[in-house]
Short mmCIF file of all heavy atoms in Angstrom, two decimals:
data_model
loop_
_atom_site.label_atom_id
_atom_site.label_comp_id
_atom_site.label_asym_id
_atom_site.label_seq_id
_atom_site.Cartn_x
_atom_site.Cartn_y
_atom_site.Cartn_z
N SER M 138 -17.35 3.63 5.27
CA SER M 138 -17.84 2.78 6.36
C SER M 138 -17.53 1.32 6.12
O SER M 138 -17.56 0.51 7.06
CB SER M 138 -19.36 2.97 6.53
OG SER M 138 -20.05 2.58 5.36
N ALA M 139 -17.19 0.96 4.89
CA ALA M 139 -16.80 -0.42 4.59
C ALA M 139 -15.38 -0.71 5.04
O ALA M 139 -14.97 -1.87 5.10
CB ALA M 139 -16.93 -0.69 3.10
N HIS M 140 -14.63 0.35 5.38
CA HIS M 140 -13.22 0.17 5.73
C HIS M 140 -12.89 0.54 7.17
O HIS M 140 -11.78 0.27 7.63
CB HIS M 140 -12.34 0.99 4.78
CG HIS M 140 -12.36 0.48 3.37
ND1 HIS M 140 -13.31 0.87 2.46
CD2 HIS M 140 -11.54 -0.39 2.72
CE1 HIS M 140 -13.08 0.27 1.30
NE2 HIS M 140 -12.02 -0.50 1.43
N THR M 141 -13.80 1.21 7.86
CA THR M 141 -13.55 1.51 9.27
C THR M 141 -14.88 1.74 9.99
O THR M 141 -15.81 2.32 9.41
CB THR M 141 -12.65 2.76 9.43
OG1 THR M 141 -12.19 2.85 10.78
CG2 THR M 141 -13.37 4.04 9.08
N PRO M 142 -15.03 1.28 11.23
CA PRO M 142 -16.26 1.53 11.99
C PRO M 142 -16.39 3.01 12.35
O PRO M 142 -15.39 3.73 12.48
CB PRO M 142 -16.08 0.67 13.25
CG PRO M 142 -14.97 -0.29 12.94
CD PRO M 142 -14.09 0.41 11.96
N GLY M 143 -17.63 3.45 12.53
CA GLY M 143 -17.87 4.84 12.87
C GLY M 143 -17.22 5.25 14.17
O GLY M 143 -16.71 6.37 14.30
N ASP M 144 -17.22 4.37 15.16
CA ASP M 144 -16.61 4.70 16.45
C ASP M 144 -15.11 4.94 16.30
O ASP M 144 -14.54 5.83 16.93
CB ASP M 144 -16.86 3.58 17.46
CG ASP M 144 -18.32 3.51 17.90
OD1 ASP M 144 -19.05 4.48 17.64
OD2 ASP M 144 -18.71 2.47 18.48
N ASP M 145 -14.48 4.13 15.45
CA ASP M 145 -13.04 4.31 15.23
C ASP M 145 -12.77 5.64 14.53
O ASP M 145 -11.78 6.32 14.83
CB ASP M 145 -12.49 3.16 14.38
CG ASP M 145 -12.40 1.86 15.18
OD1 ASP M 145 -12.76 1.87 16.38
OD2 ASP M 145 -11.99 0.84 14.59
N ALA M 146 -13.64 6.00 13.59
CA ALA M 146 -13.47 7.27 12.88
C ALA M 146 -13.60 8.45 13.84
O ALA M 146 -12.82 9.41 13.80
CB ALA M 146 -14.48 7.39 11.75
N ALA M 147 -14.59 8.39 14.73
CA ALA M 147 -14.79 9.46 15.71
C ALA M 147 -13.59 9.57 16.65
O ALA M 147 -13.13 10.67 16.96
CB ALA M 147 -16.07 9.22 16.50
N THR M 148 -13.09 8.42 17.08
CA THR M 148 -11.93 8.42 17.97
C THR M 148 -10.71 9.02 17.27
O THR M 148 -9.96 9.81 17.86
CB THR M 148 -11.61 6.99 18.43
OG1 THR M 148 -12.73 6.47 19.15
CG2 THR M 148 -10.38 6.96 19.32
N ALA M 149 -10.52 8.66 16.01
CA ALA M 149 -9.39 9.20 15.25
C ALA M 149 -9.50 10.70 15.08
O ALA M 149 -8.50 11.43 15.16
CB ALA M 149 -9.32 8.51 13.88
N LEU M 150 -10.72 11.20 14.86
CA LEU M 150 -10.90 12.64 14.70
C LEU M 150 -10.62 13.37 16.00
O LEU M 150 -9.89 14.38 16.01
CB LEU M 150 -12.32 12.94 14.22
CG LEU M 150 -12.68 14.43 14.09
CD1 LEU M 150 -11.82 15.09 13.03
CD2 LEU M 150 -14.16 14.60 13.78
N VAL M 151 -11.18 12.89 17.09
CA VAL M 151 -11.01 13.56 18.38
C VAL M 151 -9.53 13.63 18.76
O VAL M 151 -9.05 14.64 19.29
CB VAL M 151 -11.81 12.83 19.48
CG1 VAL M 151 -11.47 13.37 20.86
CG2 VAL M 151 -13.31 12.98 19.22
N SER M 152 -8.80 12.58 18.47
CA SER M 152 -7.38 12.55 18.82
C SER M 152 -6.53 13.45 17.92
O SER M 152 -5.40 13.80 18.28
CB SER M 152 -6.84 11.12 18.76
OG SER M 152 -6.89 10.62 17.44
N ALA M 153 -7.08 13.84 16.77
CA ALA M 153 -6.29 14.62 15.81
C ALA M 153 -6.52 16.13 15.91
O ALA M 153 -5.68 16.91 15.47
CB ALA M 153 -6.59 14.16 14.38
N VAL M 154 -7.66 16.57 16.47
CA VAL M 154 -7.95 18.00 16.49
C VAL M 154 -6.92 18.72 17.35
O VAL M 154 -6.39 18.18 18.32
CB VAL M 154 -9.38 18.29 16.99
CG1 VAL M 154 -10.40 17.68 16.06
CG2 VAL M 154 -9.57 17.80 18.42
N GLU M 155 -6.67 19.98 17.01
CA GLU M 155 -5.59 20.74 17.63
C GLU M 155 -6.07 21.73 18.69
O GLU M 155 -5.26 22.44 19.27
CB GLU M 155 -4.81 21.48 16.54
CG GLU M 155 -4.23 20.54 15.49
CD GLU M 155 -3.69 21.29 14.28
OE1 GLU M 155 -3.44 22.50 14.40
OE2 GLU M 155 -3.52 20.67 13.23
N GLY M 156 -7.37 21.80 18.91
CA GLY M 156 -7.90 22.71 19.91
C GLY M 156 -8.93 22.01 20.78
O GLY M 156 -9.28 20.84 20.56
N GLU M 157 -9.44 22.70 21.77
CA GLU M 157 -10.44 22.12 22.67
C GLU M 157 -11.75 21.87 21.92
O GLU M 157 -12.30 22.78 21.28
CB GLU M 157 -10.72 23.09 23.83
CG GLU M 157 -11.77 22.58 24.81
CD GLU M 157 -12.11 23.62 25.87
OE1 GLU M 157 -11.43 24.67 25.90
OE2 GLU M 157 -13.05 23.37 26.65
N PRO M 158 -12.29 20.65 21.94
CA PRO M 158 -13.55 20.36 21.26
C PRO M 158 -14.68 21.23 21.78
O PRO M 158 -14.80 21.47 22.99
CB PRO M 158 -13.79 18.88 21.57
CG PRO M 158 -12.42 18.33 21.85
CD PRO M 158 -11.69 19.44 22.55
N LEU M 159 -15.53 21.70 20.87
CA LEU M 159 -16.64 22.56 21.23
C LEU M 159 -17.99 21.85 21.15
O LEU M 159 -19.02 22.42 21.49
CB LEU M 159 -16.66 23.80 20.33
CG LEU M 159 -15.42 24.69 20.38
CD1 LEU M 159 -15.55 25.84 19.38
CD2 LEU M 159 -15.22 25.23 21.79
N ALA M 160 -17.98 20.61 20.65
CA ALA M 160 -19.20 19.82 20.56
C ALA M 160 -18.81 18.36 20.38
O ALA M 160 -17.66 18.05 20.09
CB ALA M 160 -20.06 20.29 19.38
N GLU M 161 -19.79 17.50 20.56
CA GLU M 161 -19.56 16.08 20.34
C GLU M 161 -19.49 15.80 18.83
O GLU M 161 -20.12 16.50 18.03
CB GLU M 161 -20.69 15.25 20.95
CG GLU M 161 -20.72 15.27 22.47
CD GLU M 161 -19.48 14.66 23.08
OE1 GLU M 161 -19.03 13.60 22.59
OE2 GLU M 161 -18.93 15.25 24.04
N PRO M 162 -18.74 14.79 18.42
CA PRO M 162 -18.70 14.44 16.99
C PRO M 162 -20.09 14.11 16.46
O PRO M 162 -20.89 13.45 17.13
CB PRO M 162 -17.79 13.21 16.97
CG PRO M 162 -16.96 13.30 18.21
CD PRO M 162 -17.85 13.94 19.23
N ARG M 163 -20.37 14.58 15.25
CA ARG M 163 -21.67 14.35 14.60
C ARG M 163 -21.45 13.56 13.33
O ARG M 163 -20.59 13.91 12.51
CB ARG M 163 -22.33 15.70 14.29
CG ARG M 163 -23.68 15.60 13.64
CD ARG M 163 -24.40 16.94 13.69
NE ARG M 163 -23.71 17.97 12.95
CZ ARG M 163 -24.14 18.46 11.78
NH1 ARG M 163 -25.25 18.00 11.24
NH2 ARG M 163 -23.48 19.42 11.17
N VAL M 164 -22.23 12.51 13.13
CA VAL M 164 -22.05 11.64 11.97
C VAL M 164 -23.03 12.03 10.86
O VAL M 164 -24.22 12.26 11.12
CB VAL M 164 -22.26 10.16 12.35
CG1 VAL M 164 -22.15 9.26 11.12
CG2 VAL M 164 -21.25 9.73 13.41
N LEU M 165 -22.51 12.09 9.65
CA LEU M 165 -23.32 12.39 8.46
C LEU M 165 -23.19 11.23 7.49
O LEU M 165 -22.12 10.64 7.35
CB LEU M 165 -22.84 13.67 7.79
CG LEU M 165 -22.80 14.91 8.68
CD1 LEU M 165 -21.94 15.98 8.04
CD2 LEU M 165 -24.20 15.43 8.93
N ARG M 166 -24.29 10.93 6.79
CA ARG M 166 -24.30 9.85 5.81
C ARG M 166 -24.59 10.41 4.43
O ARG M 166 -25.43 11.30 4.29
CB ARG M 166 -25.34 8.79 6.18
CG ARG M 166 -25.00 8.02 7.45
CD ARG M 166 -26.15 7.13 7.89
NE ARG M 166 -25.75 6.25 8.99
CZ ARG M 166 -25.69 6.63 10.25
NH1 ARG M 166 -26.00 7.88 10.58
NH2 ARG M 166 -25.32 5.78 11.18
N PHE M 167 -23.93 9.87 3.42
CA PHE M 167 -24.15 10.35 2.05
C PHE M 167 -23.70 9.29 1.06
O PHE M 167 -23.16 8.24 1.45
CB PHE M 167 -23.40 11.66 1.81
CG PHE M 167 -21.98 11.67 2.31
CD1 PHE M 167 -20.97 11.01 1.62
CD2 PHE M 167 -21.64 12.34 3.49
CE1 PHE M 167 -19.65 11.01 2.08
CE2 PHE M 167 -20.34 12.35 3.97
CZ PHE M 167 -19.34 11.69 3.26
N ARG M 168 -23.90 9.55 -0.20
CA ARG M 168 -23.40 8.67 -1.26
C ARG M 168 -23.06 9.53 -2.46
O ARG M 168 -23.74 10.52 -2.77
CB ARG M 168 -24.44 7.61 -1.64
CG ARG M 168 -25.79 8.17 -2.05
CD ARG M 168 -26.75 7.09 -2.51
NE ARG M 168 -28.08 7.65 -2.77
CZ ARG M 168 -29.00 7.05 -3.51
NH1 ARG M 168 -28.73 5.88 -4.06
NH2 ARG M 168 -30.18 7.60 -3.70
N ALA M 169 -22.00 9.15 -3.14
CA ALA M 169 -21.53 9.92 -4.28
C ALA M 169 -22.32 9.56 -5.53
O ALA M 169 -22.61 8.40 -5.79
CB ALA M 169 -20.05 9.66 -4.52
N GLY M 170 -22.68 10.58 -6.31
CA GLY M 170 -23.40 10.36 -7.56
C GLY M 170 -24.18 11.59 -7.96
O GLY M 170 -24.07 12.65 -7.33
N ARG M 171 -25.00 11.44 -8.99
CA ARG M 171 -25.84 12.55 -9.44
C ARG M 171 -27.10 12.00 -10.11
O ARG M 171 -27.18 10.84 -10.47
CB ARG M 171 -25.08 13.45 -10.42
CG ARG M 171 -24.70 12.78 -11.72
CD ARG M 171 -24.33 13.80 -12.79
NE ARG M 171 -23.77 13.22 -13.99
CZ ARG M 171 -24.47 12.66 -14.96
NH1 ARG M 171 -25.79 12.56 -14.86
NH2 ARG M 171 -23.87 12.17 -16.03
N ARG M 172 -28.07 12.90 -10.29
CA ARG M 172 -29.29 12.56 -11.01
C ARG M 172 -29.01 12.44 -12.51
O ARG M 172 -28.14 13.14 -13.04
CB ARG M 172 -30.36 13.64 -10.82
CG ARG M 172 -30.77 13.85 -9.38
CD ARG M 172 -31.69 12.76 -8.89
NE ARG M 172 -31.79 12.82 -7.42
CZ ARG M 172 -32.33 11.86 -6.68
NH1 ARG M 172 -32.81 10.77 -7.27
NH2 ARG M 172 -32.37 11.98 -5.38
N THR M 173 -29.76 11.58 -13.17
CA THR M 173 -29.65 11.53 -14.62
C THR M 173 -30.25 12.78 -15.25
O THR M 173 -29.82 13.21 -16.32
CB THR M 173 -30.36 10.28 -15.18
OG1 THR M 173 -31.71 10.26 -14.71
CG2 THR M 173 -29.64 9.02 -14.73
N HIS M 174 -31.25 13.37 -14.57
CA HIS M 174 -31.85 14.62 -15.02
C HIS M 174 -32.06 15.51 -13.81
O HIS M 174 -32.93 15.23 -12.97
CB HIS M 174 -33.18 14.39 -15.73
CG HIS M 174 -33.09 13.57 -16.97
ND1 HIS M 174 -33.26 12.21 -16.98
CD2 HIS M 174 -32.81 13.94 -18.26
CE1 HIS M 174 -33.11 11.76 -18.21
NE2 HIS M 174 -32.83 12.78 -19.00
N SER M 175 -31.29 16.58 -13.73
CA SER M 175 -31.47 17.52 -12.62
C SER M 175 -32.61 18.50 -12.88
O SER M 175 -33.12 19.11 -11.95
CB SER M 175 -30.16 18.29 -12.36
OG SER M 175 -29.20 17.44 -11.80
N TRP M 176 -33.00 18.66 -14.14
CA TRP M 176 -34.22 19.41 -14.49
C TRP M 176 -35.13 18.42 -15.18
O TRP M 176 -34.87 17.99 -16.31
CB TRP M 176 -33.89 20.59 -15.38
CG TRP M 176 -35.07 21.51 -15.61
CD1 TRP M 176 -36.40 21.25 -15.40
CD2 TRP M 176 -35.02 22.86 -16.11
NE1 TRP M 176 -37.18 22.33 -15.72
CE2 TRP M 176 -36.36 23.33 -16.16
CE3 TRP M 176 -33.99 23.69 -16.51
CZ2 TRP M 176 -36.67 24.62 -16.62
CZ3 TRP M 176 -34.31 24.96 -16.96
CH2 TRP M 176 -35.62 25.44 -17.02
N HIS M 177 -36.21 18.02 -14.52
CA HIS M 177 -37.16 17.05 -15.06
C HIS M 177 -38.55 17.65 -14.94
O HIS M 177 -38.95 18.11 -13.87
CB HIS M 177 -37.05 15.74 -14.29
CG HIS M 177 -37.85 14.62 -14.86
ND1 HIS M 177 -37.92 14.37 -16.22
CD2 HIS M 177 -38.63 13.67 -14.26
CE1 HIS M 177 -38.69 13.32 -16.43
NE2 HIS M 177 -39.14 12.88 -15.27
N ARG M 178 -39.28 17.64 -16.05
CA ARG M 178 -40.58 18.31 -16.13
C ARG M 178 -40.44 19.76 -15.67
O ARG M 178 -39.60 20.49 -16.21
CB ARG M 178 -41.63 17.54 -15.34
CG ARG M 178 -41.88 16.12 -15.89
CD ARG M 178 -43.06 15.45 -15.21
NE ARG M 178 -43.26 14.10 -15.72
CZ ARG M 178 -43.95 13.80 -16.81
NH1 ARG M 178 -44.51 14.77 -17.51
NH2 ARG M 178 -44.09 12.54 -17.19
N ASN M 179 -41.17 20.17 -14.66
CA ASN M 179 -41.05 21.57 -14.19
C ASN M 179 -40.37 21.66 -12.83
O ASN M 179 -40.60 22.58 -12.05
CB ASN M 179 -42.42 22.24 -14.13
CG ASN M 179 -43.35 21.61 -13.09
OD1 ASN M 179 -43.22 20.43 -12.76
ND2 ASN M 179 -44.29 22.40 -12.58
N VAL M 180 -39.48 20.68 -12.55
CA VAL M 180 -38.73 20.67 -11.29
C VAL M 180 -37.24 20.73 -11.59
O VAL M 180 -36.72 19.94 -12.39
CB VAL M 180 -39.04 19.41 -10.46
CG1 VAL M 180 -38.12 19.32 -9.25
CG2 VAL M 180 -40.50 19.42 -10.02
N VAL M 181 -36.55 21.66 -10.94
CA VAL M 181 -35.10 21.81 -11.06
C VAL M 181 -34.48 21.46 -9.72
O VAL M 181 -34.83 22.06 -8.69
CB VAL M 181 -34.71 23.25 -11.45
CG1 VAL M 181 -33.19 23.37 -11.55
CG2 VAL M 181 -35.37 23.65 -12.76
N ALA M 182 -33.59 20.48 -9.70
CA ALA M 182 -32.91 20.10 -8.46
C ALA M 182 -31.60 20.85 -8.35
O ALA M 182 -30.81 20.91 -9.29
CB ALA M 182 -32.64 18.60 -8.45
N ILE M 183 -31.36 21.43 -7.17
CA ILE M 183 -30.13 22.18 -6.91
C ILE M 183 -29.58 21.73 -5.56
O ILE M 183 -30.33 21.52 -4.60
CB ILE M 183 -30.40 23.69 -6.91
CG1 ILE M 183 -30.76 24.17 -8.33
CG2 ILE M 183 -29.19 24.47 -6.39
CD1 ILE M 183 -31.14 25.63 -8.41
N GLY M 184 -28.27 21.58 -5.49
CA GLY M 184 -27.65 21.13 -4.25
C GLY M 184 -27.70 19.62 -4.11
O GLY M 184 -27.60 18.89 -5.10
N LEU M 185 -27.88 19.13 -2.90
CA LEU M 185 -27.80 17.70 -2.63
C LEU M 185 -28.91 16.91 -3.32
O LEU M 185 -28.75 15.71 -3.55
CB LEU M 185 -27.85 17.45 -1.13
CG LEU M 185 -26.73 18.11 -0.30
CD1 LEU M 185 -26.94 17.83 1.18
CD2 LEU M 185 -25.37 17.62 -0.76
#
């Protein structure tokens, strides 16, 4: 998102797909990284 606006990304995707769109573009937000402890006390983190 620091290098392109979300609207531009959606436009680029729509113009690139090879078939008829079946839904509107959906935006997801995330960040890369991990927990320092995925098992802490009696809790185990799995997935996101």
Side-chain angles (χ1 to χ4, degrees):
S138 62
H140 292 87
T141 193
D144 289 345
D145 288 359
T148 299
L150 176 64
V151 171
S152 65
V154 298
E155 301 169 19
E157 179 185 354
L159 299 177
E161 291 297 317
R163 181 166 63 108
V164 177
L165 305 163
R166 293 171 172 80
F167 46 76
R168 56 176 174 161
R171 65 163 171 80
R172 299 284 166 192
T173 54
H174 297 93
S175 289
W176 188 343
H177 188 42
R178 297 188 181 275
N179 65 333
V180 172
V181 179
I183 292 176
L185 301 178

